Amino acid sequence: RERIRMNKLQLVDALKEESKISKEVSKQVIELFFSSISETLEKGDRVEIRGFCSFFVIASLYSGNHRWGTRLKLITFSFHSFFVAMET
């Protein structure tokens, strides 16, 4: 199966062609889409686009003793994750 890669400019052009809107409007739509995802992730929330993908941030790694109910924060980091929906 051939892999298709697309950068932001190619995505803008594809949207322009498919929707018959101007390139400037197409660029604004793509910018709004990605900025909305970024803002949501910065708040610590998850973005799910059903049937397409999920974006989320893992912020901290914890360890604990479940028997005694103790919990220890090991490290704090920001890791953006992207999962593609499974094909049917």
Side-chain angles (χ1 to χ4, degrees):
R1 181 166 131 175
E2 183 183 337
R3 291 182 141 198
I4 300 172
R5 295 175 188 224
M6 215 177 208
N7 62 31
K8 196 189 288 189
L9 182 58
Q10 292 168 323
L11 191 57
V12 167
D13 288 337
L15 179 61
K16 179 185 84 126
E17 292 300 318
E18 289 293 319
S19 63
K20 306 293 186 222
I21 58 177
S22 73
K23 188 169 186 171
E24 186 58 38
V25 172
S26 181
K27 183 178 177 183
Q28 290 173 352
V29 169
I30 298 300
E31 290 291 335
L32 178 63
F33 176 76
F34 285 114
S35 68
S36 296
I37 290 174
S38 294
E39 289 171 12
T40 302
L41 293 175
E42 285 174 4
K43 289 190 250 176
D45 293 334
R46 179 183 178 110
V47 176
E48 266 190 61
I49 304 171
R50 298 263 184 219
F52 178 63
C53 66
S54 297
F55 300 90
F56 57 94
V57 176
I58 299 171
S60 299
L61 180 62
Y62 290 91
S63 180
N65 182 330
H66 299 290
R67 183 174 178 188
W68 303 107
T70 59
R71 191 170 168 186
L72 175 65
K73 186 184 225 181
L74 299 177
I75 189 170
T76 299
F77 58 93
S78 179
F79 174 73
H80 300 267
S81 190
F82 170 76
F83 284 97
V84 177
M86 296 181 67
E87 291 183 25
T88 55

